[in-house]
Amino acid sequence: MTRHEKIEVRSSDDVVKVRQRVRALAVEAGFSLVDQTKIITAASELARNTVNYGGGGHAIVSLVKSNGRTGLRLVFEDRGPGITDIELAMQDGYSTGAGLGLGLSGSRRLMHEFEIDSAPGQGTKVTVTRWR
Amino acid sequence: MEKIPILKMGRFLLVSIQVDMHDRLAMTLQEDLTDRIVKENARGVLIDISSMEIVDSFIGRMLGSIASMSRMLNAETVVVGMQPAVAITMVELGLSLSGVRTALDVEKGMEILHRFRQPGEEETDIDDQA
Amino acid sequence: MSTKSNLPGLVRRYEKEIFKDWMKEQLADFSLRADLISETELRGQSAQFLETFREALEADGPASIKGRSWDELRTSLEEISKSRARLGFSPSETATFVFSLKQPLFALVQKEYESDPKVLSAELWTINLLIDKLGIFTMECFHKGREEVIKRQQDEMLELSTPVVKIWDQILALPLIGTLDSARTQVVMESLLQEIVQTSSMVAIIDITGVPMVDTLVAQHLIKTVSAARLMGAECIISGIRPQIAQTMVHLGVTFSDIATKATLADAIRSAFAAVGCRVVRREK
C-alpha cells in the first residue's frame, strides 16, 4: 500500500505546511527521531527552492515500499526557469540567489536517493528518498 | 501580525522560539531584535531553540546574521538548547553556525553572556562573582 | 492427479500408529538432542503437531499448505523451528522433525494400497510433496529464527559497547572498544549527544585507546560528532590516539585540526577539568 499526498508550494507558509505533512508521514513510517529530522530538513530546503527559484510548484509526499523496506519519497516540481548547469548547482555554497547554497547539495546528503531533472525553461523536478 | 515575543532581563534580551517558523516570521524576528538591542541598549541576546524541530539553512543563516548584527551593536548572542537530532542534521547539511556562540541550556547561556560583558563599562549593578 | 487423496482419512484413522512410528523414528535418530530438549517435551510437540496436521488435512487436503486451514500448523511449525534455532539445533536436526514423518506415512499407505500400485504411487507422491513443502517452510523459519538471534546479539553488543559514563560534574567519557563501523559509530554518536543534554555536560571525552583501526569514514563520523556537540554548546576531546592511528590518519589526510586531541585519557581528563574550572592538587603530607 502506498500513500500519496500532493501539496501546493507557493509561499513560505506552504513550506511550513510541507514540513508538517512530511513530519506526519515520517512518524507514521516509523523513522527514528534523527531520521525524521533529516527528512523534514531536506523537505524544507527543497520546498524553499521551489518557492524562491522555481516560482512555486507542488510537492508529492509518499510512503513507498521496496524489497521489504519502507521509505519516504518527496518530489518537488516547478515550472520555473530551470537550471542551466546542474553540476554547478549541486556544489556546496553555490547559489544564484541570496541563500547559502546548501539546498540541493545538503538535501542530497540528508537523503539516500537523489534525482534531479531540469533544463532551462523546462522547470525543475527533484526526487529524494530516504529508506528506513 | 504574528510575532515572536522578545523578553528583557536586565541588559539581556531573551527569545524563545516555540513555533514552526516560516521565513517571513524569521525575518521579522531578526528586525525586531536589532531594533530592541538598540532601544534597550542590550549587551546580550539569548535565543532558546530547544523546542525547534529543525534548523535548516534559512534559519541557520538568520541565527548567523543575528549574531553578526548584534555584535556590531555591541551585544553577544548565544543560541541555547539545540536538540541532538537537530545538531546531527545540521552537520550533515553542512551548516556550522560559525560566529554563533552556543550553550546547552538557558542557565549556561546566561553564564556566557555574563562572562562576555565588557569590563570597564560604567555600570551601576554589581558584577557577579565569577 | 485429479483423484482425491485418501490421506486425510488415513491419518485420522491411524493417528495413534503414525504417532508411535514417528516417535520411534525421531528417537532412534541420532539427531535427538537430549541435551537441548527432553523426550517429554518432544512427545508433546509431536503430538500437538500431528493433531493440527490432521485437522488441516481434513479441512483443506494435502495439495497446498498456504490455505487458512493450515494457518495453525504453520504457526506452530514456525514456533518449533524458531525455538530450535534459539536453542542451538543445527539446520538438519531441525528439518528432521518434519522429514522423519515421511517414513511412517509411507509405511502406512504402502500397507493400505499394496494391491493397487497406481493409487499407491499417487499417494506416495502426494505425501512427498506435502512433507517437502513443510520441510522447506521449516527451514525458512529456522533461518529467520537464526537471523533474529544474530540481530538481537548485535543490538546487545551495540548497547554494551557504548557506555557513556559521567566522570565528574559536567564531564562525560565514552571509552570506545573494538572495531568501529559506520553504523555503530552513528549509534555511539547519537547516544553521546543525548547524554550530553541529559547530564548538561560541558565536556565529553571520546577515548579510542581500544579501537584497533580508524578509517576515513570512522574519522569523519568522529569529526561530525564533535561538530554536532559544538553546535549544542559542548566540547569534545578525543583521546587515546595511538601512534599507528595518528600515522594512518595523517596519511589518509585526516588531521583532526580544530579538534582537541590528547594522547592519553589522563591528559584528556586534566584538560576537561580545566575546561569546567576544576583543578587537581596533590594533598600535602
Side-chain angles (χ1 to χ4, degrees), chain C residues 64-101:
Chain C
S64 159
I65 60 161
K66 294 226 161 65
R68 291 285 282 285
S69 316
W70 290 85
D71 278 356
E72 202 185 326
L73 185 87
R74 282 201 316 271
T75 315
S76 81
L77 205 50
E78 198 177 327
E79 269 166 34
I80 292 169
S81 320
K82 282 188 178 175
S83 87
R84 289 191 172 200
R86 272 195 302 276
L87 288 169
F89 277 81
S90 78
S92 58
E93 283 160 2
T94 306
T96 303
F97 177 72
V98 170
F99 285 124
S100 60
L101 188 55

Side-chain angles (χ1 to χ4, degrees), chain B residues 79-88 90-92 95-97 102-105 108 111 115, chain C residues 170 186 189-190 193-194 196-197 199-202 223-225 227-234:
Chain B
V79 172
V80 308
M82 186 185 293
Q83 296 297 325
V86 175
I88 292 171
M90 281 179 71
V91 170
E92 210 70 52
L95 274 175
S96 58
L97 287 193
T102 54
L104 288 171
D105 48 43
K108 288 204 164 63
E111 274 170 33
R115 220 180 307 142
Chain C
Q170 311 208 61
Q186 215 148 338
M189 169 171 168
E190 281 181 39
L193 296 178
Q194 204 61 55
I196 286 176
V197 174
T199 57
S200 186
S201 294
M202 299 273 286
I223 293 171
K224 281 180 188 169
T225 311
S227 310
R230 201 169 279 165
L231 279 174
M232 290 161 50

Side-chain angles (χ1 to χ4, degrees), chain C residues 242-283:
Chain C
R242 284 177 291 112
Q244 306 95 293
I245 288 188
Q247 283 171 28
T248 6
M249 300 267 260
V250 173
H251 280 306
L252 289 170
V254 182
T255 53
F256 278 152
S257 56
D258 201 34
I259 293 177
T261 49
K262 294 277 177 271
T264 67
L265 183 57
D267 290 339
I269 291 175
R270 186 172 301 132
S271 102
F273 273 139
V276 300
C278 290
R279 197 154 51 100
V280 183
V281 287
R282 206 173 289 277
R283 193 155 47 109

Side-chain angles (χ1 to χ4, degrees), chain C residues 16 45 119-120 130 144-145 160 163 178 182 189 217 225 259 263 280:
Chain C
K16 276 213 183 74
Q45 254 177 16
V119 179
L120 176 63
L130 177 61
K144 259 188 229 149
L160 282 176
S182 189
M189 169 171 168
L217 212 64
T225 311
I259 293 177
V280 183

Side-chain angles (χ1 to χ4, degrees), chain A residues 12-13 16 19 23 37-38 41 44-45 48 98 100 102 106 109-110, chain B residues 20-24 53-54 56-58 61 85 89 92-95:
Chain A
S12 78
D13 288 318
V16 175
R19 288 204 291 254
R23 179 179 182 278
T37 310
K38 286 181 178 172
T41 307
S44 186
E45 297 292 341
R48 187 176 295 109
L100 292 173
L102 289 174
R109 282 192 293 270
L110 293 174
Chain B
D20 195 346
M21 269 202 298
H22 55 71
D23 296 0
R24 249 182 305 109
E53 279 180 352
I54 65 155
D56 61 12
S57 63
F58 188 84
R61 189 159 59 111
T89 303
E92 210 70 52
L93 187 64
L95 274 175

